[in-house]
Amino acid sequence: MLKLNHHLLKLESRYLFSEVEKRVLLFQEKNRDAPLSNLGIGDITKPLAPSIAKALSEASIEMGTFLGMKGYGPAEGYLFLREKIKEHEYQNLGITSDEIFISDGAQSDMAQFQELFSLNSPIAIQDPTYPVYLDSNVMAGRTRKKTKNGKYGAVLYLPCREENGFLPSIPKEDAGLIYLCFPNNPTGVSFDKKYLQRWVDYAKERKALLLIDGAYAAYVRQKDFPKSIYEIEGADEVAVEFRTFSKSAGFTGLRCSYMVIPKKLVIEDLGQKHSIHKLWKRRQDAKFNGVAYPIQKAAEACFSNEGKKEIQEQIDSYLEGAKQLREGLKKIGLSCYGGIDSPYVWCKTPDKMASWDFFDLLLNRYQIISVPGEGFGTEGKGFVRFSGFARFESIERAIKGLYAYHHQR
Ligand code: PLP
């Protein structure tokens, strides 16, 4: 008889973004003409840069000719793209093109990577967190229960609170797989070199593995705040890095990402050393048939002079949105964080209001869409996330609305 994977039933039924969407739709049904300021958006709001769109269409036309036809590509991605990534993103960091794996999204990469490890491996996740790390581990059968003693197979939550600048403390317990996201979604803060060195040292000492979500690496601006974990000494022995073209070049609708797995990364199991690189390669060969050629050509175009300039302008503009939000919210007297090396601003709710209550108030009274912090984890209670992907006019209108709210309190 057919049986379900019961671990799926353990997932929180209220998936954050669908709940936000549901409440917004309900509001729109009742208020058809009200202009909404969408500051909750986690997606890009600008079209593909012209040189990237051109590369995409040229590659598609090329595939329609006998000379340019393409069948299956390599599971790890075409060398032309891996070479460009190495040259532009990992120059002087000792990463080689065969340590780079091209894929169709950081979300799926981060969800699937845990397959390489035993269900008994303890995992550590920031709280609040981008949801995929926890959900994928729960679906695989790891428990979502909090643990006081780093019990095996359990999730160890790393609280990111206002008093520690939203930086998770290094745990006393052993954590096998450690998910770290910088610049962080949702808190918008990034990590400096000194702090990251402590994580690398911890991972070496405890034989743990750091899984670095660098989806927003292109937004890092502050000196001493690294874009890549491999800027930290010894990281190539303990860290895998996940990057995507989604937020750096507007590929959310195209799908292209990459992972870096250094060959130095080995784990010891039953007295034998195993290469993580080899295991992932084997897994990909069995389960993945590569990313479409035109999409990889479009990704390659991000590294041309023209492409670099065009996408830089887009990132600068999203960062300008985040700056306007941060400054506007601060002027109103709301405490907020992030938004310097990230498009996200993490805002404390006024008067200790619950996140969903503040969300409802913003939506119903001021037509502002935010994302309730508690949807990202317990520690997100009392916060909402605003986003610099919003249009400037939405940001301006929202700040005006919030200003009125502040004066009515
Ligand atoms: N990681 C983080 C932290 C994100 O915020 C997102 C998207 O919002 C992703 C990964 C997903 O990236 P991709 O579009 O490559 O799947």
Side-chain angles (χ1 to χ4, degrees), residues 112 142 264 344 354 377:
Q112 288 154 358
R142 294 182 182 94
K264 277 193 190 169
Y344 299 121

Side-chain angles (χ1 to χ4, degrees), residues 6-14 134-136 138-139 144:
H6 284 207
H7 301 306
L8 276 164
L9 307 177
K10 295 180 196 156
L11 290 175
E12 296 246 310
S13 59
R14 191 174 71 170
L134 182 61
D135 283 353
S136 55
V138 170
M139 281 187 242
R144 54 177 299 114

Side-chain angles (χ1 to χ4, degrees), residues 158-194:
L158 306 170
C160 304
R161 299 185 178 135
E162 195 177 12
E163 62 263 27
N164 59 11
F166 303 98
L167 305 183
S169 303
I170 312 273
K172 292 188 181 67
E173 303 90 337
D174 275 336
L177 284 183
I178 302 162
Y179 292 81
L180 291 179
C181 175
F182 68 87
N184 190 264
N185 181 9
T187 67
V189 303
S190 205
F191 301 164
D192 70 15
K193 283 191 178 163
K194 242 176 146 174

Side-chain angles (χ1 to χ4, degrees), residues 17 42-43 103-110 130-133 181-186 213-216 242-247 251-253 255-258 344 385 389:
F17 298 105
D43 201 350
S103 185
D104 61 359
Q107 172 113 334
S108 31
D109 283 344
M110 299 228 52
Y130 184 64
V132 67
Y133 324 134
C181 175
F182 68 87
N184 190 264
N185 181 9
D213 185 342
Y216 299 94
F242 301 76
R243 293 269 193 98
T244 171
F245 291 92
S246 281
K247 305 299 167 76
F251 273 52
T252 52
R255 316 303 303 141
C256 195
S257 63
Y258 54 94
Y344 299 121
R385 191 194 75 180
F389 291 121

Side-chain angles (χ1 to χ4, degrees), residues 182-233:
F182 68 87
N184 190 264
N185 181 9
T187 67
V189 303
S190 205
F191 301 164
D192 70 15
K193 283 191 178 163
K194 242 176 146 174
Y195 173 73
L196 283 168
Q197 187 68 62
R198 288 174 50 214
W199 274 109
V200 168
D201 295 345
Y202 168 89
K204 269 191 176 174
E205 193 190 311
R206 306 290 186 101
K207 300 197 184 323
L209 184 59
L210 304 178
L211 303 183
I212 305 296
D213 185 342
Y216 299 94
Y219 290 76
V220 173
R221 289 291 176 275
Q222 292 184 90
K223 215 175 136 265
D224 275 337
F225 282 67
K227 288 190 174 179
S228 167
I229 191 70
Y230 305 115
E231 293 176 48
I232 311 300
E233 213 182 308

